[in-house]
Amino acid sequence: MAKKSIHYKGHTFDVSYEILNPKEHVDIVILHGWGSNKALMKGAFGALMSGFRHIYIDLPGFGNSTAPMCMESEDYARIVELLLVEINGKKDIVMGHSFGGKVATLLEPELLVLLSSAGIVLPKSWKVKAKIALYKMLKFAQIERIRDYFVAEDAKKLTRQMYETFKTVVNEDFQDIFASFPNRALVCWGREDQATPLHAGEKIASLIPDAKFIEYEGDHYFFLQHAKSISNQIEKEYLDLLERH
């Protein structure tokens, strides 16, 4: 594990990363989802795809990386790019799970791999809408102690700064960004995913002009059980890209 200090928008981010297979020449950057860290992704894929140099990153605010400011997904992508410059990393392949999928898409790699990616804003239920409306009224009345009752489980342990980031990124609609993605994409999804439902994955794959969609058994973390199959698909897709060129 290593760290680099990245200077961005007047702030310093200490970004933790780890590189496997350092002598290989094709890079795969692997990004975790919201509330997770690089250890989860390394545990799934670290022993696979030995022909690629793996770059695992703790996104700012997670794992061992700091986040001194509120951010949007675009900020995360630019910080990852700055880190890659520092470590001579390339955007040959970028794989992202959930929130990490949005960051991966913004990086515009040669081959994009999405694992149950966020980016399609789903309609809120009447119950959620009612909770939001009530929270806003109570917040206006300065009754802040009830905040933990209303916020999402993913957000309860966040600093207020990261909570503001959370509120921003969950409402980002990436449909136009997916539709304008210029390169090849492999979109993988769990059939039983409740966090980012299967139909969201089908929508993303339909928006990206050059995309392949594969369903797997499992939930939002389906890749933990299917890492070998996904890795084989990635290797095949990258080889196909080389043959195209």
PDB file of all heavy atoms in Angstrom, residues 194-220:
ATOM      1  N   GLN A 194     -30.769  -5.130  -5.649  1.00  0.00           N
ATOM      2  CA  GLN A 194     -31.825  -4.224  -5.191  1.00  0.00           C
ATOM      3  C   GLN A 194     -31.349  -2.779  -5.113  1.00  0.00           C
ATOM      4  O   GLN A 194     -32.154  -1.849  -5.150  1.00  0.00           O
ATOM      5  CB  GLN A 194     -32.322  -4.667  -3.806  1.00  0.00           C
ATOM      6  CG  GLN A 194     -32.946  -6.056  -3.790  1.00  0.00           C
ATOM      7  CD  GLN A 194     -34.165  -6.157  -4.684  1.00  0.00           C
ATOM      8  OE1 GLN A 194     -35.056  -5.317  -4.631  1.00  0.00           O
ATOM      9  NE2 GLN A 194     -34.214  -7.193  -5.511  1.00  0.00           N
ATOM     10  N   ALA A 195     -30.039  -2.571  -4.998  1.00  0.00           N
ATOM     11  CA  ALA A 195     -29.502  -1.208  -4.891  1.00  0.00           C
ATOM     12  C   ALA A 195     -29.505  -0.508  -6.248  1.00  0.00           C
ATOM     13  O   ALA A 195     -29.889   0.662  -6.358  1.00  0.00           O
ATOM     14  CB  ALA A 195     -28.085  -1.255  -4.318  1.00  0.00           C
ATOM     15  N   THR A 196     -29.045  -1.216  -7.269  1.00  0.00           N
ATOM     16  CA  THR A 196     -29.111  -0.722  -8.651  1.00  0.00           C
ATOM     17  C   THR A 196     -29.769  -1.835  -9.471  1.00  0.00           C
ATOM     18  O   THR A 196     -29.093  -2.754  -9.925  1.00  0.00           O
ATOM     19  CB  THR A 196     -27.696  -0.403  -9.205  1.00  0.00           C
ATOM     20  OG1 THR A 196     -26.848  -1.541  -8.999  1.00  0.00           O
ATOM     21  CG2 THR A 196     -27.099   0.810  -8.531  1.00  0.00           C
ATOM     22  N   PRO A 197     -31.089  -1.769  -9.634  1.00  0.00           N
ATOM     23  CA  PRO A 197     -31.834  -2.882 -10.228  1.00  0.00           C
ATOM     24  C   PRO A 197     -31.374  -3.247 -11.637  1.00  0.00           C
ATOM     25  O   PRO A 197     -30.764  -2.441 -12.346  1.00  0.00           O
ATOM     26  CB  PRO A 197     -33.273  -2.361 -10.249  1.00  0.00           C
ATOM     27  CG  PRO A 197     -33.310  -1.242  -9.276  1.00  0.00           C
ATOM     28  CD  PRO A 197     -31.943  -0.647  -9.248  1.00  0.00           C
ATOM     29  N   LEU A 198     -31.700  -4.483 -12.007  1.00  0.00           N
ATOM     30  CA  LEU A 198     -31.277  -5.014 -13.301  1.00  0.00           C
ATOM     31  C   LEU A 198     -31.701  -4.110 -14.456  1.00  0.00           C
ATOM     32  O   LEU A 198     -30.942  -3.910 -15.411  1.00  0.00           O
ATOM     33  CB  LEU A 198     -31.852  -6.418 -13.497  1.00  0.00           C
ATOM     34  CG  LEU A 198     -31.441  -7.152 -14.766  1.00  0.00           C
ATOM     35  CD1 LEU A 198     -29.946  -7.424 -14.786  1.00  0.00           C
ATOM     36  CD2 LEU A 198     -32.227  -8.463 -14.899  1.00  0.00           C
ATOM     37  N   HIS A 199     -32.897  -3.535 -14.372  1.00  0.00           N
ATOM     38  CA  HIS A 199     -33.353  -2.690 -15.489  1.00  0.00           C
ATOM     39  C   HIS A 199     -32.494  -1.442 -15.647  1.00  0.00           C
ATOM     40  O   HIS A 199     -32.393  -0.891 -16.749  1.00  0.00           O
ATOM     41  CB  HIS A 199     -34.833  -2.328 -15.345  1.00  0.00           C
ATOM     42  CG  HIS A 199     -35.169  -1.485 -14.165  1.00  0.00           C
ATOM     43  ND1 HIS A 199     -35.008  -0.123 -14.143  1.00  0.00           N
ATOM     44  CD2 HIS A 199     -35.689  -1.808 -12.950  1.00  0.00           C
ATOM     45  CE1 HIS A 199     -35.398   0.364 -12.977  1.00  0.00           C
ATOM     46  NE2 HIS A 199     -35.809  -0.628 -12.237  1.00  0.00           N
ATOM     47  N   ALA A 200     -31.841  -0.991 -14.551  1.00  0.00           N
ATOM     48  CA  ALA A 200     -30.920   0.149 -14.665  1.00  0.00           C
ATOM     49  C   ALA A 200     -29.696  -0.262 -15.475  1.00  0.00           C
ATOM     50  O   ALA A 200     -29.190   0.513 -16.296  1.00  0.00           O
ATOM     51  CB  ALA A 200     -30.507   0.627 -13.279  1.00  0.00           C
ATOM     52  N   GLY A 201     -29.221  -1.483 -15.254  1.00  0.00           N
ATOM     53  CA  GLY A 201     -28.096  -1.977 -16.040  1.00  0.00           C
ATOM     54  C   GLY A 201     -28.430  -2.128 -17.504  1.00  0.00           C
ATOM     55  O   GLY A 201     -27.625  -1.793 -18.388  1.00  0.00           O
ATOM     56  N   GLU A 202     -29.625  -2.631 -17.781  1.00  0.00           N
ATOM     57  CA  GLU A 202     -30.059  -2.764 -19.160  1.00  0.00           C
ATOM     58  C   GLU A 202     -30.159  -1.400 -19.838  1.00  0.00           C
ATOM     59  O   GLU A 202     -29.810  -1.253 -21.023  1.00  0.00           O
ATOM     60  CB  GLU A 202     -31.406  -3.483 -19.202  1.00  0.00           C
ATOM     61  CG  GLU A 202     -31.331  -4.939 -18.751  1.00  0.00           C
ATOM     62  CD  GLU A 202     -32.683  -5.575 -18.530  1.00  0.00           C
ATOM     63  OE1 GLU A 202     -33.661  -4.832 -18.290  1.00  0.00           O
ATOM     64  OE2 GLU A 202     -32.768  -6.814 -18.590  1.00  0.00           O
ATOM     65  N   LYS A 203     -30.607  -0.404 -19.076  1.00  0.00           N
ATOM     66  CA  LYS A 203     -30.695   0.958 -19.605  1.00  0.00           C
ATOM     67  C   LYS A 203     -29.314   1.505 -19.938  1.00  0.00           C
ATOM     68  O   LYS A 203     -29.103   2.086 -21.012  1.00  0.00           O
ATOM     69  CB  LYS A 203     -31.390   1.857 -18.573  1.00  0.00           C
ATOM     70  CG  LYS A 203     -31.503   3.323 -18.985  1.00  0.00           C
ATOM     71  CD  LYS A 203     -32.477   3.505 -20.129  1.00  0.00           C
ATOM     72  CE  LYS A 203     -32.718   4.972 -20.431  1.00  0.00           C
ATOM     73  NZ  LYS A 203     -33.630   5.166 -21.572  1.00  0.00           N
ATOM     74  N   ILE A 204     -28.362   1.333 -19.015  1.00  0.00           N
ATOM     75  CA  ILE A 204     -26.999   1.815 -19.254  1.00  0.00           C
ATOM     76  C   ILE A 204     -26.413   1.168 -20.508  1.00  0.00           C
ATOM     77  O   ILE A 204     -25.825   1.840 -21.365  1.00  0.00           O
ATOM     78  CB  ILE A 204     -26.114   1.536 -18.030  1.00  0.00           C
ATOM     79  CG1 ILE A 204     -26.531   2.443 -16.857  1.00  0.00           C
ATOM     80  CG2 ILE A 204     -24.634   1.754 -18.356  1.00  0.00           C
ATOM     81  CD1 ILE A 204     -25.857   2.105 -15.533  1.00  0.00           C
ATOM     82  N   ALA A 205     -26.567  -0.158 -20.617  1.00  0.00           N
ATOM     83  CA  ALA A 205     -26.016  -0.866 -21.773  1.00  0.00           C
ATOM     84  C   ALA A 205     -26.660  -0.400 -23.077  1.00  0.00           C
ATOM     85  O   ALA A 205     -26.005  -0.362 -24.126  1.00  0.00           O
ATOM     86  CB  ALA A 205     -26.207  -2.365 -21.594  1.00  0.00           C
ATOM     87  N   SER A 206     -27.935  -0.028 -23.018  1.00  0.00           N
ATOM     88  CA  SER A 206     -28.605   0.458 -24.230  1.00  0.00           C
ATOM     89  C   SER A 206     -28.151   1.865 -24.607  1.00  0.00           C
ATOM     90  O   SER A 206     -28.198   2.242 -25.784  1.00  0.00           O
ATOM     91  CB  SER A 206     -30.123   0.438 -24.032  1.00  0.00           C
ATOM     92  OG  SER A 206     -30.553   1.472 -23.143  1.00  0.00           O
ATOM     93  N   LEU A 207     -27.712   2.632 -23.614  1.00  0.00           N
ATOM     94  CA  LEU A 207     -27.276   4.000 -23.875  1.00  0.00           C
ATOM     95  C   LEU A 207     -25.861   4.064 -24.455  1.00  0.00           C
ATOM     96  O   LEU A 207     -25.578   4.886 -25.328  1.00  0.00           O
ATOM     97  CB  LEU A 207     -27.321   4.826 -22.582  1.00  0.00           C
ATOM     98  CG  LEU A 207     -28.706   5.186 -22.054  1.00  0.00           C
ATOM     99  CD1 LEU A 207     -28.606   5.737 -20.634  1.00  0.00           C
ATOM    100  CD2 LEU A 207     -29.382   6.210 -22.964  1.00  0.00           C
ATOM    101  N   ILE A 208     -24.972   3.215 -23.964  1.00  0.00           N
ATOM    102  CA  ILE A 208     -23.586   3.232 -24.440  1.00  0.00           C
ATOM    103  C   ILE A 208     -23.551   2.621 -25.842  1.00  0.00           C
ATOM    104  O   ILE A 208     -23.981   1.485 -26.047  1.00  0.00           O
ATOM    105  CB  ILE A 208     -22.670   2.444 -23.486  1.00  0.00           C
ATOM    106  CG1 ILE A 208     -22.655   3.102 -22.095  1.00  0.00           C
ATOM    107  CG2 ILE A 208     -21.249   2.376 -24.044  1.00  0.00           C
ATOM    108  CD1 ILE A 208     -21.879   2.328 -21.047  1.00  0.00           C
ATOM    109  N   PRO A 209     -23.039   3.352 -26.818  1.00  0.00           N
ATOM    110  CA  PRO A 209     -23.108   2.877 -28.208  1.00  0.00           C
ATOM    111  C   PRO A 209     -22.428   1.532 -28.459  1.00  0.00           C
ATOM    112  O   PRO A 209     -22.924   0.728 -29.253  1.00  0.00           O
ATOM    113  CB  PRO A 209     -22.407   4.007 -28.988  1.00  0.00           C
ATOM    114  CG  PRO A 209     -22.615   5.229 -28.144  1.00  0.00           C
ATOM    115  CD  PRO A 209     -22.549   4.748 -26.724  1.00  0.00           C
ATOM    116  N   ASP A 210     -21.303   1.283 -27.793  1.00  0.00           N
ATOM    117  CA  ASP A 210     -20.556   0.034 -28.025  1.00  0.00           C
ATOM    118  C   ASP A 210     -20.423  -0.701 -26.696  1.00  0.00           C
ATOM    119  O   ASP A 210     -19.392  -0.641 -26.028  1.00  0.00           O
ATOM    120  CB  ASP A 210     -19.175   0.359 -28.610  1.00  0.00           C
ATOM    121  CG  ASP A 210     -18.408  -0.895 -29.022  1.00  0.00           C
ATOM    122  OD1 ASP A 210     -19.017  -1.981 -29.039  1.00  0.00           O
ATOM    123  OD2 ASP A 210     -17.201  -0.783 -29.311  1.00  0.00           O
ATOM    124  N   ALA A 211     -21.489  -1.403 -26.313  1.00  0.00           N
ATOM    125  CA  ALA A 211     -21.528  -2.060 -25.003  1.00  0.00           C
ATOM    126  C   ALA A 211     -21.976  -3.504 -25.119  1.00  0.00           C
ATOM    127  O   ALA A 211     -22.807  -3.854 -25.966  1.00  0.00           O
ATOM    128  CB  ALA A 211     -22.455  -1.307 -24.053  1.00  0.00           C
ATOM    129  N   LYS A 212     -21.438  -4.337 -24.239  1.00  0.00           N
ATOM    130  CA  LYS A 212     -21.869  -5.723 -24.085  1.00  0.00           C
ATOM    131  C   LYS A 212     -22.425  -5.877 -22.682  1.00  0.00           C
ATOM    132  O   LYS A 212     -21.799  -5.440 -21.711  1.00  0.00           O
ATOM    133  CB  LYS A 212     -20.696  -6.680 -24.294  1.00  0.00           C
ATOM    134  CG  LYS A 212     -21.060  -8.150 -24.170  1.00  0.00           C
ATOM    135  CD  LYS A 212     -19.841  -9.021 -24.463  1.00  0.00           C
ATOM    136  CE  LYS A 212     -20.186 -10.495 -24.422  1.00  0.00           C
ATOM    137  NZ  LYS A 212     -18.993 -11.336 -24.747  1.00  0.00           N
ATOM    138  N   PHE A 213     -23.603  -6.499 -22.564  1.00  0.00           N
ATOM    139  CA  PHE A 213     -24.277  -6.642 -21.272  1.00  0.00           C
ATOM    140  C   PHE A 213     -24.321  -8.098 -20.865  1.00  0.00           C
ATOM    141  O   PHE A 213     -24.731  -8.966 -21.652  1.00  0.00           O
ATOM    142  CB  PHE A 213     -25.699  -6.077 -21.369  1.00  0.00           C
ATOM    143  CG  PHE A 213     -26.447  -6.086 -20.067  1.00  0.00           C
ATOM    144  CD1 PHE A 213     -26.072  -5.258 -19.030  1.00  0.00           C
ATOM    145  CD2 PHE A 213     -27.536  -6.941 -19.887  1.00  0.00           C
ATOM    146  CE1 PHE A 213     -26.773  -5.264 -17.829  1.00  0.00           C
ATOM    147  CE2 PHE A 213     -28.242  -6.958 -18.692  1.00  0.00           C
ATOM    148  CZ  PHE A 213     -27.848  -6.110 -17.657  1.00  0.00           C
ATOM    149  N   ILE A 214     -23.906  -8.397 -19.626  1.00  0.00           N
ATOM    150  CA  ILE A 214     -23.915  -9.769 -19.121  1.00  0.00           C
ATOM    151  C   ILE A 214     -24.581  -9.792 -17.752  1.00  0.00           C
ATOM    152  O   ILE A 214     -24.231  -9.005 -16.861  1.00  0.00           O
ATOM    153  CB  ILE A 214     -22.490 -10.346 -18.999  1.00  0.00           C
ATOM    154  CG1 ILE A 214     -21.754 -10.271 -20.336  1.00  0.00           C
ATOM    155  CG2 ILE A 214     -22.552 -11.792 -18.509  1.00  0.00           C
ATOM    156  CD1 ILE A 214     -20.323 -10.765 -20.277  1.00  0.00           C
ATOM    157  N   GLU A 215     -25.544 -10.687 -17.587  1.00  0.00           N
ATOM    158  CA  GLU A 215     -26.209 -10.878 -16.294  1.00  0.00           C
ATOM    159  C   GLU A 215     -25.559 -12.029 -15.534  1.00  0.00           C
ATOM    160  O   GLU A 215     -25.130 -13.017 -16.128  1.00  0.00           O
ATOM    161  CB  GLU A 215     -27.686 -11.237 -16.502  1.00  0.00           C
ATOM    162  CG  GLU A 215     -28.526 -10.179 -17.161  1.00  0.00           C
ATOM    163  CD  GLU A 215     -29.954 -10.671 -17.353  1.00  0.00           C
ATOM    164  OE1 GLU A 215     -30.386 -11.551 -16.567  1.00  0.00           O
ATOM    165  OE2 GLU A 215     -30.623 -10.198 -18.278  1.00  0.00           O
ATOM    166  N   TYR A 216     -25.512 -11.873 -14.212  1.00  0.00           N
ATOM    167  CA  TYR A 216     -25.012 -12.927 -13.341  1.00  0.00           C
ATOM    168  C   TYR A 216     -26.012 -13.154 -12.209  1.00  0.00           C
ATOM    169  O   TYR A 216     -26.757 -12.245 -11.844  1.00  0.00           O
ATOM    170  CB  TYR A 216     -23.665 -12.545 -12.728  1.00  0.00           C
ATOM    171  CG  TYR A 216     -22.514 -12.511 -13.708  1.00  0.00           C
ATOM    172  CD1 TYR A 216     -22.201 -11.346 -14.413  1.00  0.00           C
ATOM    173  CD2 TYR A 216     -21.734 -13.642 -13.916  1.00  0.00           C
ATOM    174  CE1 TYR A 216     -21.143 -11.309 -15.304  1.00  0.00           C
ATOM    175  CE2 TYR A 216     -20.666 -13.618 -14.806  1.00  0.00           C
ATOM    176  CZ  TYR A 216     -20.374 -12.454 -15.497  1.00  0.00           C
ATOM    177  OH  TYR A 216     -19.326 -12.431 -16.384  1.00  0.00           O
ATOM    178  N   GLU A 217     -25.993 -14.352 -11.646  1.00  0.00           N
ATOM    179  CA  GLU A 217     -26.763 -14.588 -10.429  1.00  0.00           C
ATOM    180  C   GLU A 217     -26.135 -13.785  -9.293  1.00  0.00           C
ATOM    181  O   GLU A 217     -24.913 -13.695  -9.196  1.00  0.00           O
ATOM    182  CB  GLU A 217     -26.762 -16.083 -10.069  1.00  0.00           C
ATOM    183  CG  GLU A 217     -27.539 -16.959 -11.036  1.00  0.00           C
ATOM    184  CD  GLU A 217     -29.022 -16.615 -11.081  1.00  0.00           C
ATOM    185  OE1 GLU A 217     -29.555 -16.153 -10.035  1.00  0.00           O
ATOM    186  OE2 GLU A 217     -29.639 -16.789 -12.142  1.00  0.00           O
ATOM    187  N   GLY A 218     -26.979 -13.191  -8.443  1.00  0.00           N
ATOM    188  CA  GLY A 218     -26.442 -12.489  -7.296  1.00  0.00           C
ATOM    189  C   GLY A 218     -27.001 -11.100  -7.129  1.00  0.00           C
ATOM    190  O   GLY A 218     -27.779 -10.612  -7.953  1.00  0.00           O
ATOM    191  N   ASP A 219     -26.578 -10.466  -6.038  1.00  0.00           N
ATOM    192  CA  ASP A 219     -27.084  -9.141  -5.670  1.00  0.00           C
ATOM    193  C   ASP A 219     -26.106  -8.043  -6.085  1.00  0.00           C
ATOM    194  O   ASP A 219     -25.360  -8.203  -7.062  1.00  0.00           O
ATOM    195  CB  ASP A 219     -27.395  -9.096  -4.168  1.00  0.00           C
ATOM    196  CG  ASP A 219     -26.163  -9.396  -3.301  1.00  0.00           C
ATOM    197  OD1 ASP A 219     -25.024  -9.362  -3.823  1.00  0.00           O
ATOM    198  OD2 ASP A 219     -26.343  -9.652  -2.090  1.00  0.00           O
ATOM    199  N   HIS A 220     -26.088  -6.947  -5.339  1.00  0.00           N
ATOM    200  CA  HIS A 220     -25.245  -5.804  -5.691  1.00  0.00           C
ATOM    201  C   HIS A 220     -23.753  -6.149  -5.663  1.00  0.00           C
ATOM    202  O   HIS A 220     -22.959  -5.506  -6.335  1.00  0.00           O
ATOM    203  CB  HIS A 220     -25.548  -4.658  -4.720  1.00  0.00           C
ATOM    204  CG  HIS A 220     -25.041  -3.327  -5.166  1.00  0.00           C
ATOM    205  ND1 HIS A 220     -25.334  -2.779  -6.396  1.00  0.00           N
ATOM    206  CD2 HIS A 220     -24.248  -2.405  -4.535  1.00  0.00           C
ATOM    207  CE1 HIS A 220     -24.765  -1.591  -6.509  1.00  0.00           C
ATOM    208  NE2 HIS A 220     -24.088  -1.352  -5.403  1.00  0.00           N
TER     209      HIS A 220
END
